[in-house]
C-alpha cells in the first residue's frame, strides 16, 4: 500500500484516507467486512458507463491508453472544437478574485479586466479557489483551503540501444527502499508506437514524496541537474542502465497532486452542503475532490457539466 499510495498520490500511506483514495476497497470492506472477499464478490463497483469506445476497451481488455501525439492532443482538440463553435477561451489571464453581484451573477476579476458569469465550474486546485472566494463563502473557503497538494518531478529518459531486464508497465518503489523515487514507467513497453523513428528505450522516472517535501521546506533550489542526476541513478541502480541517456526532459510540477488525507470526504460533504444551502452558482470539478487520475478528471468535468445543464450524469 505504501508503494501504491506513492505511485498514485505521491503521498504517505499513513496520512491518506482509504475511503477517499480507494473507494472500491473501502466499500468492499464495509459491505463484506473483508477487502479481498468484497472485491471477489464485486462490491465497490460503481455504475457502469457505456459507449462504443468503452465497449471496445472492455472487449480488448485495455489496461492503459494514450494518444498518438501524446495526451496533450486531447486538450488541444477540445480547444479547437470549442473555438470552432464560437466559444471564447481566455489564456494567460489568471483570475484575481470572485464576487457575487446583487442579481446573483458572478463577477470574475482578471488582472486588467473582468467578466460576468451566470455559473462557474471551477477546475483549479481547491486551495487556490479558496483564496479567490468572496467573504460570503468563508465556510466553503475554509474547507477548501485544507485540501493540500504535493509536488512531483517527472524525468523522461531515452537510451539508445538499451534493453530492459524485465517487461511490464513499470514498477513502484516503497519509501523504505528509496525515499526519492516514486516509480519508473517503461514507456517503450506500454506504447512502443511513440518511440519515434530512432530506436531507443524510453522511461519516465517520477520523483517526490517526503524527500521532495523536505527540500521544498528548506527552500532548496530544485535544479534540473539534481533531478536528472537522481533519475539516472535510479535507472542505473534499479534497471541496470548504466550508460548515460541520449535524451532527457525534466519537469517539476509544483503542488500538482492533491492529497486526500483522513477526513477528506467530510470536507467534500461540508462543501456540498454549503453550496446547496446558499444556492451558490458554483460547481466544483477537477483533481482536488474525487480522483486525481486523468480518467477521474475527465469524468469529473463531464458530471459537472451535466449537473449545470440539469441532465443525468450517466446519460
Amino acid at each position: 500500500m505504501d508503494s501504491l499510495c506513492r505511485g498514485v498520490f505521491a503521498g504517505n500511506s499513513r496520512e491518506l484516507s482509504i475511503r477517499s483514495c480507494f473507494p472500491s476497497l473501502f466499500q468492499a470492506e464495509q459491505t463484506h467486512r473483508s477487502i479481498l472477499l468484497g472485491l471477489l464478490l464485486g462490491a465497490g463497483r460503481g455504475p457502469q458507463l457505456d459507449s462504443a469506445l468503452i465497449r471496445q476497451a472492455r472487449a480488448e481488455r485495455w489496461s492503459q491508453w494514450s494518444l498518438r501525439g501524446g495526451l496533450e492532443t486531447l486538450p488541444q482538440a477540445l480547444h479547437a472544437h470549442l473555438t470552432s463553435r464560437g466559444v471564447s477561451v481566455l489564456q494567460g489571464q489568471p483570475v484575481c478574485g470572485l464576487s457575487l453581484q446583487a442579481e446573483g451573477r458572478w463577477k470574475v476579476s482578471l488582472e486588467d479586466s473582468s467578466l460576468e458569469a451566470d455559473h462557474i465550474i471551477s477546475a483549479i486546485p481547491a486551495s487556490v479557489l479558496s483564496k479567490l472566494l468572496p467573504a460570503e463563502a468563508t465556510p466553503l473557503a475554509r474547507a477548501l483551503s485544507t485540501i493540500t497538494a504535493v509536488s512531483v518531478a517527472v524525468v523522461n529518459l531515452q537510451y539508445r540501444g538499451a534493453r530492459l531486464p524485465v517487461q511490464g508497465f513499470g514498477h513502484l518503489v516503497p519509501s523504505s527502499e528509496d525515499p526519492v523515487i516514486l516509480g519508473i514507467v517503461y514507456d517503450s513497453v506500454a506504447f512502443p508506437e511513440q518511440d519515434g523513428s530512432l530506436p531507443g528505450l524510453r522511461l519516465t522516472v517520477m520523483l517526490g514524496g517526503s524527500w521532495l517535501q523536505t527540500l521544498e521546506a528548506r527552500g532548496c533550489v530544485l535544479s534540473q541537474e539534481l533531478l536528472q542526476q537522481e533519475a539516472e541513478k535510479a535507472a542505473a541502480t534499479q534497471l541496470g542502465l548504466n550508460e548515460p541517456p541520449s535524451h532527457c526532459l525534466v519537469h517539476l510540477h509544483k503542488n500538482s497532486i492533491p492529497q486526500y488525507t483522513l477526513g477528506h470526504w467530510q470536507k467534500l460533504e461540508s462543501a456540498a452542503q454549503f453550496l446547496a444551502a446558499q444556492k451558490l452558482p458554483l460547481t466544483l470539478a477537477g483533481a482536488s475532490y474525487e480522483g486525481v487520475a486523468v480518467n477521474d478528471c475527465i469524468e469529473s468535468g463531464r458530471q459537472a457539466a451535466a449537473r449545470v445543464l440539469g441532465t443525468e450524469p450517466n446519460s
Side-chain angles (χ1 to χ4, degrees):
M1 287 304 297
D2 175 73
S3 301
L4 184 61
C5 288
R6 281 161 57 82
V8 178
F9 289 89
N12 186 338
S13 61
R14 294 168 181 82
E15 299 175 357
L16 295 174
S17 163
I18 192 170
R19 175 172 181 163
S20 298
C21 295
F22 306 103
S24 61
L25 301 184
F26 174 81
Q27 190 59 45
E29 193 278 333
Q30 291 288 296
T31 305
H32 297 283
R33 303 185 67 181
S34 166
I35 290 177
L36 294 179
L37 180 61
L39 292 177
L40 286 172
L41 295 176
R45 295 177 183 171
Q48 296 294 306
L49 303 178
D50 186 59
S51 72
L53 186 62
I54 292 174
R55 290 192 291 272
Q56 179 184 354
R58 288 177 184 152
E60 298 176 1
R61 304 182 68 180
W62 294 3
S63 58
Q64 62 266 337
W65 63 274
S66 185
L67 300 171
R68 289 189 183 92
L71 288 181
E72 70 174 355
T73 57
L74 177 57
Q76 289 171 350
L78 287 171
H79 180 273
H81 175 77
L82 292 172
T83 53
S84 70
R85 296 181 173 224
V87 176
S88 297
V89 179
L90 303 180
Q91 296 177 297
Q93 298 192 44
V95 176
C96 302
L98 301 172
S99 57
L100 279 168
Q101 307 300 295
E103 64 275 16
R105 290 166 58 85
W106 287 105
K107 179 181 179 182
V108 183
S109 299
L110 308 176
E111 284 186 334
D112 54 3
S113 62
S114 65
L115 54 87
E116 291 190 353
D118 297 316
H119 197 103
I120 289 178
I121 297 178
S122 173
I124 62 177
S127 59
V128 177
L129 175 61
S130 71
K131 299 173 183 176
L132 302 175
L133 291 171
E136 303 96 303
T138 296
L140 175 61
R142 191 179 301 118
L144 298 182
S145 67
T146 61
I147 303 177
T148 58
V150 296
S151 302
V152 173
V154 178
V155 181
N156 304 105
L157 301 172
Q158 184 176 40
Y159 295 85
R160 294 270 177 83
R163 300 188 65 178
L164 286 170
V166 293
Q167 295 293 298
F169 177 76
H171 68 265
L172 301 175
V173 183
S175 57
S176 59
E177 293 289 336
D178 190 335
V180 178
I181 305 299
L182 303 173
I184 302 179
V185 180
Y186 314 155
D187 298 315
S188 289
V189 176
F191 301 110
E193 304 89 345
Q194 296 181 348
D195 280 346
S197 56
L198 295 175
L201 170 66
R202 293 182 300 113
L203 303 173
T204 295
V205 184
M206 298 169 290
L207 306 89
S210 59
W211 169 77
L212 197 56
Q213 291 171 346
T214 300
L215 292 182
E216 287 181 320
R218 291 177 182 170
C220 298
V221 177
L222 298 172
S223 66
Q224 291 200 352
E225 291 75 17
L226 171 64
L227 299 174
Q228 180 177 347
Q229 176 185 340
E230 293 291 343
E232 289 185 26
K233 184 169 69 173
T237 304
Q238 299 173 21
L239 295 172
L241 300 172
N242 296 305
E243 296 297 321
S246 56
H247 293 86
C248 176
L249 293 173
V250 180
H251 294 95
L252 176 61
H253 303 282
K254 301 281 287 184
N255 302 318
S256 57
I257 302 187
Q259 300 296 284
Y260 301 168
T261 53
L262 293 177
H264 181 76
W265 69 273
Q266 293 165 314
K267 300 173 187 177
L268 301 190
E269 196 171 80
S270 173
Q273 290 175 350
F274 181 85
L275 288 170
Q278 301 299 318
K279 298 182 179 179
L280 280 183
L282 172 65
T283 300
L284 305 178
S288 291
Y289 307 105
E290 296 183 277
V292 300
V294 172
N295 290 352
D296 295 322
C297 293
I298 293 173
E299 176 62 10
S300 172
R302 191 183 70 84
Q303 290 192 14
R307 285 195 296 270
V308 172
L309 295 173
T311 59
E312 276 294 323
N314 294 323
S315 63

